[in-house]
Amino acid sequence: MDKLKINNGIPVAPDRITIPYITGDGVGIEITPACLDVVNAAVQRAYRGSRSINWKEVQAGEASFRKSGKWLPDATLDIFKEYLIGIKGPLTTPVGEGARSINVALRQLLDLYVCQRPVRWFKGVFSPLKDPQKVNMIVFRENTEDIYAGIEWDKDTPEAKKFLDFLRNEMGVTKIRFPGSSAFGVKPVSEEGTKRLVRAAVQYAVTRRLPSLTFVHKGNIMKFTEGGFRRWAYEVAEQEFGDSIFSMQVYERVAETRGKEAAEQILQEAKSQKKTVVKDVIADAFLQNTLLKPEDYSAIATLNLNGDYISDQLAAMVGGIGIAPGANINYMTGHAIFEATHGTAPDIAGQNRANPSSLILSAAMMLEYIRWNEAAELIVRAMERCFTEGIATADLSAFMPKGQYLTTSRFRQSLIAHINSTKYKRS
């Protein structure tokens, strides 16, 4: 059997595993082959032939549309369902009209409710921060609700007028400023969707004994959607993980009844026991705080739109989205798709200039997901060595002291050389 299996919620990979992949559009034709070569080298180095990956290409995006008239063929979706995991390069999303985002469609159709984005700094990479080494976070972004659910109506359409009539006549809404020229969107945020996301985030944080988990929201303005997210998030953390976490809501209750000194004592005791401190912060304050005191945050759980902004800002803080990996995961079914988090970059496609690091680091996340940690570690260590030596593609090397510009293919070769030169013993 060459397929990933899930046993009591834990991925179990065979030694010879088949993994589907989508090459992607634009620079995908350059970065995806580079990624597969680097992963193959790491797997070979770590396991000396006892484990291997059979890559299975599936179709989506522009190439698929030109061939079959479908941006996301049913066959591709069926293969991802069958094999549980996969990896993909960047895919085109027309703006304003045309096909729905393939990325969003995959997340919705496979119910990949967690968008997971780790963020860390690599020595040698330019950062606008004074102390970028303090940035070490992982974002759990809800992936299926909020505005990304895609419920909206354009202005001047019968649907928009009907919705406006409903708001006015049935719901008594009077504060729409320009009703005649308004488009409308609906933002669903559910208790179930919130709790399954937060459950995964808390489990991740407590298993790794991370110092904190922060719920980021705008509940001060949107009381029932984002405010509901905050309320349900604390509920699942306190009710299901009470022995492993310390809730700042408990801190507030103790401070109110017994005084701040008593609350501080309980908090310090929890920290000494390596409990994860669960807290929350308003989204705009969080974005400011990550610049001023990034060391205060380790794991973050947030809604879809907030997570979009947060992920890109954090990536910029450590050098840009070109080195930002990402995954979309359903921790209940085991389905997971790992992806380049950047776009198709058509302006440099075909020029052998694209940075494959985002996709390669996402592949390292995939290896960790299937418990092939040794191979994942080799990739990350090779990336660290390249960047420390000033070896990178044009987007990064231009800002490195004595940076050495490499093409996509030469950067791939450098990573593989570092992987093969690493003295490494399988644990």
Side-chain angles (χ1 to χ4, degrees), residues 194-210:
T194 296
K195 286 189 172 181
R196 65 178 185 172
L197 171 86
V198 172
R199 186 175 293 113
V202 179
Q203 185 67 61
Y204 185 98
V206 301
T207 299
R208 291 159 180 78
R209 293 190 168 226
L210 298 183

Side-chain angles (χ1 to χ4, degrees), residues 221-283:
I221 301 299
M222 306 191 78
K223 308 292 187 181
F224 306 121
T225 51
E226 307 231 355
F229 177 89
R230 175 186 183 274
R231 182 171 69 256
W232 300 320
Y234 272 116
E235 285 178 6
V236 72
E238 293 177 4
Q239 294 171 9
E240 298 183 22
F241 299 91
D243 294 337
S244 302
I245 62 105
F246 178 79
S247 170
M248 288 304 290
Q249 285 197 324
V250 172
Y251 178 97
E252 293 167 2
R253 290 194 290 266
V254 171
E256 184 177 348
T257 57
R258 295 166 50 193
K260 188 172 181 179
E261 184 175 341
E264 279 293 329
Q265 182 177 352
I266 294 174
L267 174 60
Q268 294 309 315
E269 288 175 359
K271 288 182 176 180
S272 69
Q273 297 169 9
K274 303 295 184 183
K275 291 188 175 183
T276 298
V277 176
V278 173
K279 55 188 177 180
D280 75 280
V281 65
I282 302 299

